[in-house]
Amino acid sequence: TRRMVAAVVAAEQVRFLLRTLGAELRALGLDNARGKLVRQALAYTEKMERLTAEGKGTADRGRVSAYVQIGEMYQDLGSAEQNPDYFRRTDENYARAVALAEELARADPDSDLARGNLALTLDRLSRVRALLGRFDGPDGAAALLDRSLALRKEIVDSPRA
C-alpha cells in the first residue's frame, strides 16, 4: 500500500540521516546535538514500525543503528573506570542492538546484510564487555567476538544474498 511504501522510504531516510549527519556531528564534537538526533530518530523509527508491519525490517535496521549510536555516545563520555554508569548504558544499548539484529537475522537467515549487521553489533558489544572485564561465559567478550568472527567468515566464504 501507499502508506507502507511511505513508511519504508521514511525509515530508510532516517537511517541515512543517522549515518551521515550523526557522523558529522560526532566529528565536530557536537555530542549534545547528536544525542538529540539519535533519540528523535529512535522515536521516529518506533513510530514507523507501528504504522506498518511490512516495513518492519527497515525500521528495525534503523533502530539497530540508533542503539549503536546511543551506545557510542555514552562510551565517548569517558572510560569504564572514570564513569562506570556510562559504560553500563553503553553495554545496555549495544545489547539492545544485538538482540534486535539477532531477530532480523533469524527472520531472514539468507540475508547477508542482516547477518553482517549482527556481526558488527556483536563486535561492538564484545569490545565494551572486554573493557568492563567481562570476558567469560556465553555473554562474555570472548564468546561474542567468536560469534562475530564466525558470522563474518561465513558471509565471506558462503554469501547468500
Side-chain angles (χ1 to χ4, degrees):
T1 68
R2 179 181 252 174
R3 186 175 180 180
M4 185 213 45
V5 170
V8 170
V9 169
E12 285 297 326
Q13 290 172 341
V14 168
R15 288 183 67 231
F16 173 79
L17 223 119
L18 280 174
R19 284 192 312 269
T20 56
L21 187 56
E24 289 179 24
L25 290 172
R26 181 180 189 183
L28 293 171
L30 299 172
D31 291 328
N32 214 13
R34 181 174 175 235
K36 288 178 184 177
L37 171 69
V38 171
R39 283 189 297 277
Q40 184 62 39
L42 184 58
Y44 186 74
T45 55
E46 288 171 350
K47 181 179 179 182
M48 289 296 99
E49 183 179 84
R50 287 190 302 271
L51 288 177
T52 173
E54 293 176 56
K56 189 175 188 300
T58 302
D60 282 342
R61 285 193 304 274
R63 286 178 52 215
V64 169
S65 178
Y67 286 135
V68 167
Q69 289 204 34
I70 290 169
E72 285 175 351
M73 285 186 296
Y74 281 118
Q75 191 170 0
D76 290 347
L77 293 174
S79 70
E81 298 83 27
Q82 291 172 326
N83 200 329
D85 184 53
Y86 287 149
F87 262 66
R88 179 187 56 76
R89 290 180 183 192
T90 298
D91 184 88
E92 288 171 0
N93 281 285
Y94 285 170
R96 286 181 184 133
V98 166
L100 195 49
E102 285 174 330
E103 274 183 44
L104 292 171
R106 271 193 307 273
D108 193 359
D110 289 330
S111 169
D112 290 335
L113 175 64
R115 294 180 312 126
N117 285 338
L118 175 56
L120 290 172
T121 59
L122 286 165
D123 181 72
R124 291 288 180 104
L125 185 57
S126 74
R127 291 169 190 245
V128 169
R129 297 263 166 103
L131 291 170
L132 291 170
R134 295 174 56 191
F135 295 101
D136 300 321
D139 291 329
L144 294 169
L145 185 58
D146 285 347
R147 285 181 60 203
S148 175
L149 292 173
L151 271 170
R152 290 174 190 204
K153 183 175 182 346
E154 183 181 310
I155 292 167
V156 169
D157 292 347
S158 303
R160 296 179 188 174

